[in-house]
Amino acid sequence: MTLQQLKYAVTVAECGTISAAAEKLFISQPSLTTAIRELESEMGVTIFSRTNRGVIVSREGEEFLGYARQILSQAQLLQELEFLLYKRALPAFRKHRVEQHDIRRLV
């Protein structure tokens, strides 16, 4: 299971059809279908029931998607934290940056 697969599943649920979700995610519909089926197989859960009008989230899919949304939210917070730490550390890196002429002296 990957964060990308979780994002795919949540997007399919939001869009209601795999084709609309694929368009929103900028991937092909067959690739999205494969990713969702692999996720369902790996997790042993049927997230979606397929119909001729799109997809319907199953009962176990609702529970799964709730956890998926929590995981994606936490991952986003970690990315934001990483960015803030990087931004805070950047001035220190600039202050202690080794200049090219210093490197030549070391070599």
Side-chain angles (χ1 to χ4, degrees):
M1 173 178 46
T2 65
L3 290 175
Q4 186 175 43
Q5 286 175 310
L6 295 179
K7 181 180 177 183
Y8 287 175
V10 168
T11 304
V12 169
E14 290 171 352
C15 291
T17 66
I18 290 179
S19 57
E23 189 174 319
K24 184 175 182 178
L25 293 163
F26 301 104
I27 63 170
S28 71
Q29 185 263 330
S31 295
L32 181 55
T33 298
T34 299
I36 296 295
R37 285 203 172 127
E38 287 174 357
L39 177 62
E40 289 177 322
S41 175
E42 180 181 346
M43 300 307 297
V45 171
T46 300
I47 302 169
F48 302 105
S49 298
R50 281 96 174 147
T51 70
N52 58 354
R53 292 186 173 191
V55 294
I56 298 170
V57 179
S58 68
R59 284 188 181 162
E60 60 186 350
E62 286 289 350
E63 185 176 357
F64 178 86
L65 290 169
Y67 288 116
R69 288 181 182 101
Q70 289 177 23
I71 292 167
L72 291 171
S73 177
Q74 293 298 309
Q76 179 64 36
L77 289 173
L78 286 172
Q79 287 176 339
E80 290 169 9
L81 176 62
E82 178 184 33
F83 174 75
L84 290 173
L85 291 174
Y86 170 77
K87 196 173 172 184
R88 186 179 300 159
L90 195 56
F93 287 129
R94 287 184 182 146
K95 182 178 178 184
H96 299 291
R97 187 178 66 200
V98 177
E99 298 295 331
Q100 191 170 10
H101 66 274
D102 294 331
I103 294 172
R104 286 190 191 123
R105 269 191 256 146
L106 295 172
V107 176

